[in-house]
Amino acid sequence: MIRIDDILDKASGSFSESEINLLKKAYVFAAQAHQGQVRRSGEPYLSHSLEVANMLADMGMDKTTIAAGLLHDVLEDTRVTAPELQKAFGKEVAHLVEGVTKLSRVQESSPETRQAESVRKIIIAMTDDLRVIFIKLADRIHNLQTLKSLPQSKQKKIAKETLDIYAPIANRLGMGRIKAELEDLAFQYVDSDYYEKIESFVQPKRKESDVDLKKIKRAIAREMKDNNIPAEISFRIKRPYSIYKKLQRQKIEFTQVYDLMALRLITDSVKNCYAALGMIHQKWPHLPHRFRDFIAMPKPNLYQALHTTIITEQKKMFEIQIRTRDMHDLAENGIAAHWKYKEADQQAILKEDQRIIWLRELVDLYKEQKNPREFLQSLKTDLIPEEIYVFTPKGQVITLPLGASALDFAYCIHTEIGLHASGAKINNRHASLKTILKTGDIVEILTTADIHTERTWLNIAFTSRARHHITRWLNQQRKSRDVTIGKQIWKEALSSRGQAIPRQKIPALLSKISRLTNAPLQGMDDLFGFLGSGKIDLTNKRLDKIFSSGESVSRGKPLLEKVVSSVAQKSKSGQIKLASEKGNMKLGKCCSPIKGEPIVGYMTGGKGITIHAQRCRYIRNGPLDRHRLFDMTWDQSLKGHFRGKLLMRGKNYPGLLAKVTAVIAELGGNIIKANVETFTDQEGQIRLILEIKNIGHLQSIISRLLQIKEITSVERL
Ligand code: MN
């Protein structure tokens, strides 16, 4: 077990006496707070605090971080409060400890949501002060080291979270050593069978590999010595988790992992890195597709090295990594290395550090996401460490996660380019935006001003940046479409009742509707939005009443009769195709036409075209102007969701709505709104607004609904 003196010994060289005193004080404070507490492993709780602080000292952290490491669990697990902690140790320490503290248990949510919320909280706190994550990572390493004593379900959960979130974050921050430790500790618990399988594959090879590695090491060392290149060579067998990832990624068998053995050559300068590489390539053949120059093209986490795989005379393959001492330090410690140089202003360095900028941007993107699980899901996707490197036509390198499409590339260049992307040229050949990119591709994005982002693009987009922008754009579009449609519904409702609402009565009217519907309505646009999205339904009886307070006006010339001849002219030219996203076309709210059923178009007064179903009662016997009606067909490429309104009559017994909902869900329909009315004990009706794909979809839903024996009739509205 680590003792406080071990930590103080490590720190004594670099810390002043007052700094050492702070650590002593933190130790005493933590010891008192955790007094009597025992961990699951049976060890006194304080041993955990000491282990965490010790790791932080090993990482070269400052006094504040080590002190916070000693105290990191006092808020979560003891009676100590944040103000007390702040009073004793100051703002900084208290802030760090608060950062790593999980959300309290009193929150009303499921354990899973609470866990997700806690992780989210820590990650957001980390972007304010990176030291939060160092403490959390050290905490996690020790928890994994002692994971055996927890119940199996918890083991898996903690281990999985480590592989999904914490190890990738460590990787992104360039902390290779910590990342490797987290992965190897967690992997055994996440998939113990697979772990055993890999071990049983690797174990028998160890001895043989060891001999081979020693041999090649000697050969390389001799080569370097002959050419006066200083070289420090070490070797190892690939880590179980690296093997696992490789098997997963390349879908290969154990026997096909040919770079099980790896050597690392550390030299003194960049020049000598390339010189060493040249010598090795001269002496042994290498696999060209396995050669990677991360010196000229560092990874986003700033990792630099040359990677190559050679084949020896005995037909054995070895991966060789070549780097300088500085690069090596960077690969091992990453961003944590900033803390080693105490005289430097860490905050200033950090501001410039691409790795933290990257992480902060990423987290910012999701901060608004209310659902913590979605937050983590998005983060997970973006933390995927496998990367590809592609180029703009001008030669700029763009780094994308493996699996990214040309569309992701477009959004990575600029949001506007993403939104208007119409196609791509990959290596000078036309290609679809769906195309999955690979390293080395030169990608050019073609744009068109009036191209429209579609929901289906979400299936193509892989990066959360692209997904985020697409979703945001679709939501904006939907909102403005809802307002336009809502306006029309409102006008139709007023004119069908021959009413007008005077301007001065609008605020009162809005608050009345707001009261009746619980919808927050600040202005007419809000009302239109709710009407357009179907969240407020004017045919609702309670709402119907509001019109009785409106003032009747003599029915003047209906708005629709103001014919725009030029538009009407166009309509005679024949059939018009329907495009869903075109602003001048709207689906009639009165009949909600659905793709596939017969339709007609109606020119509205200068506003564009309203599409009605041929069965629509306004079309059949309404006061419409025949001259402005024309035939239409559906654009077959049109995708999206349509709304169908159904009225069902039947025996009103508890649970009928649930039965109906189940049938609809089973057939992939989506209920937007349901309204149950009861007439007598036996009779009732259900009004539904559904989201469906096309008329065939609706018909199959109707026929299934009719099979429910309590339902006597189903009618489309
Ligand atoms: Mn802890």
Side-chain angles (χ1 to χ4, degrees), residues 309-320:
T309 302
I310 57 162
I311 311 164
T312 62
E313 296 83 351
Q314 292 80 32
K315 300 284 167 248
K316 301 242 155 113
M317 286 187 219
F318 298 89
E319 186 188 68
I320 303 175

Side-chain angles (χ1 to χ4, degrees), residues 39 45 48-49 52 72-73 76-77 136 139-140 143:
R39 294 200 103 212
Y45 202 99
H48 169 64
S49 313
V52 170
H72 82 271
D73 272 333
E76 197 171 306
D77 295 325
K136 187 66 203 174
D139 178 42
R140 183 52 61 107
N143 284 340

Side-chain angles (χ1 to χ4, degrees), residues 30 46 157 264 333 393 400 417 495 554 581 585 602 635 650 653:
L46 195 64
K157 213 192 276 171
R264 183 172 293 150
N333 303 312
L400 288 167
I417 293 183
S495 74
S554 63
E581 309 260 357
M585 294 201 204
Y602 190 81
D635 177 350
Y653 81 100

Side-chain angles (χ1 to χ4, degrees), residues 113 116-117 120 366 368-376:
T113 308
E117 263 168 12
R120 177 164 93 142
Y366 300 117
E368 305 305 319
Q369 216 156 37
K370 291 210 182 74
N371 182 337
R373 288 201 216 188
E374 276 170 28
F375 172 90
L376 290 188

Side-chain angles (χ1 to χ4, degrees), residues 295-344:
I295 292 181
M297 207 186 283
K299 289 191 186 182
N301 67 6
L302 306 188
Y303 175 88
Q304 286 187 301
L306 301 172
H307 288 193
T308 191
T309 302
I310 57 162
I311 311 164
T312 62
E313 296 83 351
Q314 292 80 32
K315 300 284 167 248
K316 301 242 155 113
M317 286 187 219
F318 298 89
E319 186 188 68
I320 303 175
Q321 301 175 356
I322 305 168
R323 48 173 91 139
T324 65
R325 173 62 57 193
D326 283 354
M327 289 174 195
H328 180 67
D329 270 357
L330 198 107
E332 295 281 280
N333 303 312
I335 208 162
H338 288 321
W339 273 266
K340 292 208 163 169
Y341 311 105
K342 287 178 66 191
E343 60 280 3

